[in-house]
Amino acid sequence: MRSLANVNLIINQLFSFSFSLVFSCGAKAAEMALMKLNSLSFQSQLHPSFGLPPTANPRSPKIVMASTLRSSTSPKEAEKLKKPFTPPREVHVQVTHSMPPQKIELFKSLEGWAEENILIHLKPVEKCWQPQDFLPDPASDGFYEQVKELRERAKEIPDEYFVVLVGDMITEEALPTYQTMLNTLDGVRDETGASPTSWAVWTRAWTAEENRHGDLLNKYLYLCGRVDMRQIEKTIQYLIGSGMDPRTENNPYLGFIYTSFQERATFISHGNTARHAKGHGDLKLAQICGTIAADEKRHETAYTKVTEKLFEIDPDGTIMSFADMMRKKISMPAHLMYDGKDDNLFENFSSVAQRLGVYTAKDYADILEFLVGRWNLEKLTGLSGEGRKAQDYVCGLAPRIRRLEERAAARAKQASTVPFSWIFDRKVDL
Ligand SMILES: [Fe+2]
Ligand SMILES: [Fe+2]
C-alpha cells in the first residue's frame, strides 16, 4: 500500500529532516542525527487524511521536520517504546509560543465578545442529555431485560463496525489530553483551574459536555458484550499517557483552527456511525451516535465563530495560520493510539473507518472546503502579499487533496486483513 505519493512523502521528509536539523541543531548534532537516520524507518501514511505531501514551511525550518518518525531497528528501543510511561511514540520538533506576545492582548480584549457570542453555544446542565438517558437503568426492575435487548441488537452488527465505534470511543475517552491542549494556548488558557474568564469558562464547560460522549459510548460497548473491554481500557490508558501532537504551538490562532476542523470531523464521524447503526437495524445505537454528533455540531459552530472573528480582526495573521495548519496537516486527536500489540493501530483503525465511509479522505477535503466557504476566504481582503499567497494555497487545496487521494487510492487497491485486539483478535479487512 506504499503508493508513489507516499514515496514522495518519504523523500520529502527525509530531505526536510536532514535540512532542518542543520538549521536547528548545529552541525555536530545534525551529523549524529543523520547517522541515526540510517536506522530510522519512515512509516507510510496509510490514512488518507495524512496523505498530502508536506510543503516547506516558510516560518521555521524546524516545523518541517519529519512528521512520522518511528524507530524500528533495535529491539531494545522498540521495547522501550512499548513501555507505558515513555514519551509519545511519534512527535515533531516541538515549536512553542509562536504567537507574538502582543497578540495576547487581542484575546483578552475579546472576552466580552466571547461571553456574548460563544458561551451561548453551551447548554445548561439541566437541559443536557446524560448517558443514562440512553442506557438500561441499573436501578429499575427491567434492567436485565433492557441489557438483553441491547445485546440482541448488537449481535446483528458486524465486527468492522465495532472496530470503528471503539476507535471513536477511545478518541473521546482521551478527553484529558484535549483539555490540556486547550490550556496550552496563550491568552485563552484557564490560568487557575477555575478562572472566571470567558475562554476558561468555555473550555471547562466544553470539556464537561464532551465528557458525556466517552462515558456513553464506553458504557454501551461494555454492555453489548461484543468487544474486549480490557484491551480497550489499556488503549485508553496508553493514549492518555502519550498525549497528542497537534502542532498548535501554544498559538490560539492555530488552536481554534484545529478545533474548528476537529469538531466538524467528529460531527461527520459520529453522524456516519449513527447512519450505519440504523442500517444494521439498531435504532437505539443510531440515536446514541446521532446525539453525540449533534453536540459536536454545536461545538463546531462555536469554534468556527471564534475563528471567523479572528479573520475579521486580523485577516492576515489568521489566513497565514490556517495555511500553516493545513501545510502541517490536521492530525487526528488519537493519532498516538496503541494497544500494547499493534504498532499500526491508528492507521489500521483509520483504514477501516475509510473503507466503511465513516471518516474518509474525501471528508478531510470536504471539511477544508466547508471552512473556506464558512469563513468566506475567497473574498477575504486586506491581505499582505504573503497573506494572499496563503489565501491562494488554502482556497486551492481541497481539489488538490482530492486528486492526490484518488490517485493514491487507485494504486492501493490490494486488500489486507488485520486482527484487532479490541474484538478479541478477530480479523477485519482494511
Ligand atoms: Fe466528542
Ligand atoms: Fe468534540
Side-chain angles (χ1 to χ4, degrees), residues 210 263 266 296 299:
E210 286 282 340
E263 293 289 3
T266 49
E296 308 292 14
H299 296 162

Side-chain angles (χ1 to χ4, degrees), residues 129 134 212-213 216 274 285-296:
W129 60 266
F134 301 93
R212 299 167 305 145
H213 302 173
L216 176 53
L285 180 56
Q287 193 191 14
I288 286 174
C289 298
T291 303
I292 296 172
D295 269 11
E296 308 292 14

